[in-house]
Amino acid sequence: MTATAPSGRPAISDGRVELPPGTAPADPRFVNDDLLPVPVERRRWTTYNFAALWVGMAHNIPSWLLASGLVALGMDWKQAVLTIALANVIVLLPMLLTGHAGPKYGIPFPVLARASFGLRGANLPALIRAGVACAWFGIQTWIGGQGIFILLDKVFGGWSEAAQVGGQPWTLWLCFVLFWILELAIIYRGMEALRRFENWAAPFVIVGALVLLVWIAVKAGGFGPLLDQPSKLGWGADFWPVFFPSLMGMIAFWSTLSLNIPDFTRFGSGQRAQVWGQTLGLPTTMTLFALLSVLVTSGSQAVYGAPVWDPVALAAKTDNVFGLLFALVTVLVATLSVNIAANVVSPAYDLANLAPKVVDFRRGALITGVVGVLIMPWKLTETPELYIFTWLGLVGGLLGTVAGILIADYWIVRRTVLDLPGLYRPDGPYWYRGGWNPAAVLAFLVGGVLAVGGSHSAPGKGPFPENGLIPFLKPLADYGWAVGLAASMLFYTLLTAGRRKGDDRA
């Protein structure tokens, strides 16, 4: 049954909106097949599909490194799990808020951003998100290729002794390139292939993590030593300076998806599917995986005298060939699962939004793959400090700023009412001033400066000055994501206070 939406567009009785037949916008500057709304009959993802998507994305080596990295920084298992659980409950809220537009309108993230930033201005948040995704794609691909290399070296021997190219054995570069090709081959088949892959990859990776836990528990002589490793920080003055930047880093890990989650929810069968699927999939899965990773890392400390925070390096310590091959397949599936879903889908849409006439989803995915190699991802994961504080802290501040603007515009200013055809028309309500909304740009600048302006690094631990880029903002740097989101949301709301509910006029 259909009804009339507030702007006269056909709406389904459950509130979902689609373009009337034969009215698809045709301006090639702003439209291609990948950016158009998904028709209602193709919005078929269920609660299980979304939950499986999150299970598949959460169970990966970098998220393992998050939790085990906290142990390496001095936390005990209880502190690390608490930090990650709290972070994922917090980041779930903006995830659900921005995800709402997907099932309702069938639009991807860059098209949703047009409502707040303008048809041309949407390229600003889209390119920021795309750049972050390209970097994450490179990181994941490097880690996956490195994992395959280490495990194959244990199985066959001699791989690490191969001639070096660019400071690394050529066999490592071979694993990296082959893994890169495999990822792009899967995503080239489209979103439906991704959905099917995530459905079976998710439970497989859970089994792999549990096997690793049992193995280290046996090596440690039971679960007792895994739980007995003390915190080096305590719960006093030494703990909080590590806790708050770590919390923001954990939030930043999925702040990327809190922006572009409409890229997936646009295929949802309704709001219930995306809300329950994400709620069941994200915080529970990340908390469970964090528990597994910190227990295994604590166990490695009990067995080897020092925490081994890289699961691939830990798995390589076994001499069992079957165990090594199982670990190899688990690493392969886990990394494929998250990298394709989280780091190729988004920039493919974002780059298509930049030049719809020449870049479609598949070409965007290929560009992502190339840029992901050029950023030299092996540099970003050298230490926990660089990975958690510098990289994730900076990324989280900028992405939190964009999320604040999207949420303020969609929920506070427009109350979820969008002019769907107008999102594709230069003569529509989202053209603003030459395709840019000055209010969104100004709110982004203010929020971004407050969020990352105080970025700082300990001497020798990162690229920023010890006293911060802007010294008086240094106290805000440890709360970058929260500062960026709150500041941009408040500022944008104040700048657009005169706009009436549902008023889509520029």
Short mmCIF file of all heavy atoms in Angstrom, two decimals, residues 65 98 116 231 262 480 488 498 502:
data_model
loop_
_atom_site.label_atom_id
_atom_site.label_comp_id
_atom_site.label_asym_id
_atom_site.label_seq_id
_atom_site.Cartn_x
_atom_site.Cartn_y
_atom_site.Cartn_z
N LEU A 65 43.85 -5.86 17.26
CA LEU A 65 44.98 -5.03 17.68
C LEU A 65 44.53 -3.90 18.60
O LEU A 65 45.30 -3.45 19.46
CB LEU A 65 45.69 -4.44 16.46
CG LEU A 65 46.37 -5.43 15.51
CD1 LEU A 65 47.00 -4.69 14.35
CD2 LEU A 65 47.39 -6.28 16.23
N THR A 98 22.23 8.11 11.59
CA THR A 98 22.53 8.34 10.18
C THR A 98 22.02 7.19 9.31
O THR A 98 21.67 7.39 8.15
CB THR A 98 24.04 8.52 9.96
OG1 THR A 98 24.74 7.42 10.54
CG2 THR A 98 24.54 9.80 10.60
N SER A 116 22.68 18.54 3.67
CA SER A 116 23.30 19.49 4.60
C SER A 116 24.42 20.30 3.96
O SER A 116 24.53 21.51 4.22
CB SER A 116 23.84 18.74 5.82
OG SER A 116 24.68 17.67 5.44
N SER A 231 46.96 -5.01 36.00
CA SER A 231 47.05 -3.74 35.29
C SER A 231 48.31 -3.00 35.72
O SER A 231 48.63 -2.94 36.91
CB SER A 231 45.82 -2.88 35.59
OG SER A 231 46.00 -1.57 35.07
N PRO A 262 24.55 4.54 5.73
CA PRO A 262 23.46 4.48 4.73
C PRO A 262 23.84 3.73 3.46
O PRO A 262 22.95 3.25 2.75
CB PRO A 262 23.18 5.96 4.43
CG PRO A 262 23.58 6.67 5.66
CD PRO A 262 24.80 5.92 6.16
N GLY A 480 38.63 14.15 20.92
CA GLY A 480 38.41 14.71 19.59
C GLY A 480 37.08 14.35 18.96
O GLY A 480 36.37 15.22 18.43
N SER A 488 30.10 20.75 16.14
CA SER A 488 29.51 20.96 14.81
C SER A 488 27.99 20.83 14.86
O SER A 488 27.27 21.57 14.17
CB SER A 488 30.09 19.96 13.81
OG SER A 488 29.77 18.63 14.16
N GLY A 498 16.55 29.29 11.90
CA GLY A 498 15.37 29.90 11.30
C GLY A 498 14.63 29.02 10.32
O GLY A 498 13.53 29.35 9.88
N GLY A 502 10.89 20.56 8.08
CA GLY A 502 10.50 20.09 6.77
C GLY A 502 10.67 21.11 5.68
O GLY A 502 10.32 20.87 4.53
#
